[in-house]
Amino acid sequence: MDSVEKGAATSVSNPRGRPSRGRPPKLQRNSRGGQGRGVEKPPHLAALVLARGGSKGIPLKNIKHLAGVPLIGWVLRAALDSGVFQSVWVSTDHDEIENVAKQFGAQVHRRSSETSKDSSTSLDAIVEFLNYHNEVDIVGNIQATSPCLHPTDLQKVAEMIREKGYDSVFSVVRRHQFRWSEIQKGVREVTEPLNLNPAKRPRRQDWDGELYENGSFYFAKRHLIEMGYLQGGKMAYYEMRAEHSVDIDVDIDWPIAEQRVLRFGYFGKEKLKEIKLLVCNIDGCLTNGHIYVSGDQKEIISYDVKDAIGISLLKKSGIEVRLISERACSKQTLSSLKLDCKMEVSVSDKLAVVDEWRKEMGLCWKEVAYLGNEVSDEECLKRAGLSAVPADACSAAQKTVAYICKSNGGRGAIREFAEHIFLLMEKVY
């Protein structure tokens, strides 16, 4: 089912964080934005992601890695790539969240302690943001916990606000669920159907279902927010596809949420190409970086069998795997691992070597995947079509990649990255 836009919504709950204030007001059209001047200035639409550091359910949930990306990174990528916002902001009280937000290209509003309490509402934080940013006319409040949001959804909602004159638009999803009244001891001893006739239970295909807020976003104009509402005036909902309606507040089982994101998430503007070459750094990726030296001065290293299996699976799928190191590794020791991979050691310029391999195979960079962990890997990580680092990679390398493994180097990172590649290649095919 494609995403659709409609006018008034029914059977939806209150937006998270908005106090109940009765029926939302119907508003007169607001002339803010340059009336009376020669050229009317387009209204400033700002994306605002609220990311408090004090999550009780999952500590620092907003920057916990989901499918190799900080949770907040998924919605920031969608917002920035949509191209409809004059500015993209993260409102936070936490230094680590601020750093991640800036890494993804967002601006940061440092929220006050008053709007960072457990009892603070989303509306409180949005009003505070507007008090500091008089240039903003419309706020697109995007929930950090909705990692399957796509730029096309935001583009359509921006059109509804700017071109069709809606004061507020919020996201919903269609569900086919029968509801029953709650049994309350001493008040109601039996349950009653709320949206069906049990004698004529409809088939799913014969029932349109009902619309529920999915919490992905709430867009509203400034004057509506200043009156204490996120929904009101000329109001509409935007129906999102069910597979894109993933809310981590509900999907507590993180691995299941990861699988949903890998299958239905947004991975960036660049169209994925089929990967034909994986280059892997030896020290810290294939191995854990530890080197043992025997009494007769022979080098001893260890590796994980899972990684050897990952390399074998990649090769069986037609992806060549090559190893690289800036250290003078013992080729005899590496050959004893029987990985059957071409390798280059004592490399002072990894980019030059990988570029030579790429040209030799007749590939573009988009067909190359790279797993690195050090500063010397940065340029290759930036150029590769798919890039990743082990969980214990240096911070400089982590900042350049699209995927951070849960596994450490020498402890299954190659196998994990291989599985990630296979999942993404399903999108290509």
PDB file of all heavy atoms in Angstrom, residues 30 46-47 52 72 127 160 177 209 247 268 313 330 342 386 408:
ATOM      1  N   ASN A  30      -2.534  32.499   8.695  1.00  0.00           N
ATOM      2  CA  ASN A  30      -1.530  33.374   9.271  1.00  0.00           C
ATOM      3  C   ASN A  30      -0.722  34.031   8.173  1.00  0.00           C
ATOM      4  O   ASN A  30      -0.329  33.388   7.214  1.00  0.00           O
ATOM      5  CB  ASN A  30      -0.605  32.542  10.175  1.00  0.00           C
ATOM      6  CG  ASN A  30       0.347  33.413  10.966  1.00  0.00           C
ATOM      7  OD1 ASN A  30       1.306  33.921  10.424  1.00  0.00           O
ATOM      8  ND2 ASN A  30       0.057  33.545  12.251  1.00  0.00           N
ATOM      9  N   ALA A  46      11.706  23.921   9.685  1.00  0.00           N
ATOM     10  CA  ALA A  46      12.820  23.318  10.422  1.00  0.00           C
ATOM     11  C   ALA A  46      12.444  21.926  10.890  1.00  0.00           C
ATOM     12  O   ALA A  46      11.364  21.716  11.446  1.00  0.00           O
ATOM     13  CB  ALA A  46      13.202  24.186  11.616  1.00  0.00           C
ATOM     14  N   ALA A  47      13.342  20.965  10.656  1.00  0.00           N
ATOM     15  CA  ALA A  47      13.179  19.632  11.241  1.00  0.00           C
ATOM     16  C   ALA A  47      13.754  19.671  12.650  1.00  0.00           C
ATOM     17  O   ALA A  47      14.825  20.234  12.871  1.00  0.00           O
ATOM     18  CB  ALA A  47      13.905  18.593  10.406  1.00  0.00           C
ATOM     19  N   ARG A  52      16.534  13.472  24.266  1.00  0.00           N
ATOM     20  CA  ARG A  52      16.980  13.646  25.646  1.00  0.00           C
ATOM     21  C   ARG A  52      17.939  12.523  26.032  1.00  0.00           C
ATOM     22  O   ARG A  52      17.822  11.399  25.555  1.00  0.00           O
ATOM     23  CB  ARG A  52      15.752  13.644  26.555  1.00  0.00           C
ATOM     24  CG  ARG A  52      15.939  14.217  27.944  1.00  0.00           C
ATOM     25  CD  ARG A  52      14.571  14.424  28.591  1.00  0.00           C
ATOM     26  NE  ARG A  52      13.823  13.185  28.681  1.00  0.00           N
ATOM     27  CZ  ARG A  52      13.862  12.357  29.726  1.00  0.00           C
ATOM     28  NH1 ARG A  52      14.647  12.630  30.753  1.00  0.00           N
ATOM     29  NH2 ARG A  52      13.139  11.275  29.747  1.00  0.00           N
ATOM     30  N   ILE A  72      19.463   7.718  16.087  1.00  0.00           N
ATOM     31  CA  ILE A  72      19.075   9.042  15.612  1.00  0.00           C
ATOM     32  C   ILE A  72      19.580   9.315  14.199  1.00  0.00           C
ATOM     33  O   ILE A  72      19.012  10.129  13.461  1.00  0.00           O
ATOM     34  CB  ILE A  72      19.582  10.130  16.591  1.00  0.00           C
ATOM     35  CG1 ILE A  72      18.853  11.449  16.360  1.00  0.00           C
ATOM     36  CG2 ILE A  72      21.086  10.315  16.494  1.00  0.00           C
ATOM     37  CD1 ILE A  72      19.202  12.488  17.403  1.00  0.00           C
ATOM     38  N   VAL A 127       8.423  24.371  22.163  1.00  0.00           N
ATOM     39  CA  VAL A 127       8.191  25.787  22.460  1.00  0.00           C
ATOM     40  C   VAL A 127       9.496  26.465  22.852  1.00  0.00           C
ATOM     41  O   VAL A 127       9.797  27.582  22.413  1.00  0.00           O
ATOM     42  CB  VAL A 127       7.129  25.945  23.576  1.00  0.00           C
ATOM     43  CG1 VAL A 127       7.088  27.373  24.078  1.00  0.00           C
ATOM     44  CG2 VAL A 127       5.753  25.518  23.060  1.00  0.00           C
ATOM     45  N   MET A 160       2.150  19.294   1.590  1.00  0.00           N
ATOM     46  CA  MET A 160       0.834  19.490   2.192  1.00  0.00           C
ATOM     47  C   MET A 160       0.790  20.772   3.010  1.00  0.00           C
ATOM     48  O   MET A 160      -0.212  21.501   3.005  1.00  0.00           O
ATOM     49  CB  MET A 160       0.484  18.293   3.075  1.00  0.00           C
ATOM     50  CG  MET A 160       0.289  16.991   2.321  1.00  0.00           C
ATOM     51  SD  MET A 160       0.115  15.550   3.426  1.00  0.00           S
ATOM     52  CE  MET A 160      -1.503  15.864   4.124  1.00  0.00           C
ATOM     53  N   GLN A 177      -7.137  -4.280  13.464  1.00  0.00           N
ATOM     54  CA  GLN A 177      -7.186  -4.882  14.790  1.00  0.00           C
ATOM     55  C   GLN A 177      -8.551  -4.620  15.420  1.00  0.00           C
ATOM     56  O   GLN A 177      -9.030  -3.475  15.423  1.00  0.00           O
ATOM     57  CB  GLN A 177      -6.087  -4.301  15.685  1.00  0.00           C
ATOM     58  CG  GLN A 177      -4.677  -4.625  15.202  1.00  0.00           C
ATOM     59  CD  GLN A 177      -3.603  -3.961  16.038  1.00  0.00           C
ATOM     60  OE1 GLN A 177      -3.804  -2.893  16.595  1.00  0.00           O
ATOM     61  NE2 GLN A 177      -2.445  -4.599  16.126  1.00  0.00           N
ATOM     62  N   GLY A 209      -9.960  -1.216   7.971  1.00  0.00           N
ATOM     63  CA  GLY A 209      -9.147  -1.046   9.160  1.00  0.00           C
ATOM     64  C   GLY A 209      -9.336   0.337   9.767  1.00  0.00           C
ATOM     65  O   GLY A 209     -10.262   1.080   9.417  1.00  0.00           O
ATOM     66  N   ASP A 247       8.620   1.631  15.384  1.00  0.00           N
ATOM     67  CA  ASP A 247       8.823   2.514  16.532  1.00  0.00           C
ATOM     68  C   ASP A 247       9.569   1.737  17.605  1.00  0.00           C
ATOM     69  O   ASP A 247       9.059   0.768  18.151  1.00  0.00           O
ATOM     70  CB  ASP A 247       7.470   3.007  17.066  1.00  0.00           C
ATOM     71  CG  ASP A 247       7.630   4.084  18.128  1.00  0.00           C
ATOM     72  OD1 ASP A 247       8.737   4.231  18.676  1.00  0.00           O
ATOM     73  OD2 ASP A 247       6.642   4.780  18.415  1.00  0.00           O
ATOM     74  N   GLY A 268      20.326   6.108   2.065  1.00  0.00           N
ATOM     75  CA  GLY A 268      21.032   7.237   1.468  1.00  0.00           C
ATOM     76  C   GLY A 268      20.664   7.458   0.017  1.00  0.00           C
ATOM     77  O   GLY A 268      20.004   6.639  -0.627  1.00  0.00           O
ATOM     78  N   LEU A 313      31.954 -17.559   2.460  1.00  0.00           N
ATOM     79  CA  LEU A 313      30.610 -17.265   1.933  1.00  0.00           C
ATOM     80  C   LEU A 313      30.656 -16.131   0.916  1.00  0.00           C
ATOM     81  O   LEU A 313      29.961 -16.166  -0.106  1.00  0.00           O
ATOM     82  CB  LEU A 313      29.673 -16.906   3.084  1.00  0.00           C
ATOM     83  CG  LEU A 313      29.310 -18.035   4.044  1.00  0.00           C
ATOM     84  CD1 LEU A 313      28.526 -17.494   5.241  1.00  0.00           C
ATOM     85  CD2 LEU A 313      28.499 -19.108   3.324  1.00  0.00           C
ATOM     86  N   SER A 330      53.879 -11.335   8.545  1.00  0.00           N
ATOM     87  CA  SER A 330      54.504 -12.531   7.978  1.00  0.00           C
ATOM     88  C   SER A 330      53.547 -13.181   6.987  1.00  0.00           C
ATOM     89  O   SER A 330      52.478 -13.679   7.373  1.00  0.00           O
ATOM     90  CB  SER A 330      54.848 -13.522   9.093  1.00  0.00           C
ATOM     91  OG  SER A 330      55.195 -14.773   8.541  1.00  0.00           O
ATOM     92  N   LYS A 342      44.219 -12.921  -1.884  1.00  0.00           N
ATOM     93  CA  LYS A 342      45.354 -12.094  -2.275  1.00  0.00           C
ATOM     94  C   LYS A 342      45.590 -11.078  -1.173  1.00  0.00           C
ATOM     95  O   LYS A 342      44.646 -10.536  -0.607  1.00  0.00           O
ATOM     96  CB  LYS A 342      45.071 -11.383  -3.593  1.00  0.00           C
ATOM     97  CG  LYS A 342      46.238 -10.545  -4.115  1.00  0.00           C
ATOM     98  CD  LYS A 342      45.947 -10.003  -5.507  1.00  0.00           C
ATOM     99  CE  LYS A 342      47.126  -9.190  -6.023  1.00  0.00           C
ATOM    100  NZ  LYS A 342      46.894  -8.692  -7.406  1.00  0.00           N
ATOM    101  N   LEU A 386      30.448   0.459   0.191  1.00  0.00           N
ATOM    102  CA  LEU A 386      30.021   0.027   1.524  1.00  0.00           C
ATOM    103  C   LEU A 386      31.252   0.031   2.422  1.00  0.00           C
ATOM    104  O   LEU A 386      32.307  -0.488   2.029  1.00  0.00           O
ATOM    105  CB  LEU A 386      29.412  -1.375   1.491  1.00  0.00           C
ATOM    106  CG  LEU A 386      28.018  -1.529   0.884  1.00  0.00           C
ATOM    107  CD1 LEU A 386      27.603  -2.998   0.888  1.00  0.00           C
ATOM    108  CD2 LEU A 386      27.007  -0.694   1.620  1.00  0.00           C
ATOM    109  N   ASN A 408      33.908  -7.152  17.758  1.00  0.00           N
ATOM    110  CA  ASN A 408      35.249  -6.575  17.724  1.00  0.00           C
ATOM    111  C   ASN A 408      36.067  -7.195  16.598  1.00  0.00           C
ATOM    112  O   ASN A 408      35.707  -8.241  16.036  1.00  0.00           O
ATOM    113  CB  ASN A 408      35.965  -6.807  19.058  1.00  0.00           C
ATOM    114  CG  ASN A 408      35.415  -5.936  20.170  1.00  0.00           C
ATOM    115  OD1 ASN A 408      34.755  -4.920  19.917  1.00  0.00           O
ATOM    116  ND2 ASN A 408      35.677  -6.313  21.403  1.00  0.00           N
TER     117      ASN A 408
END
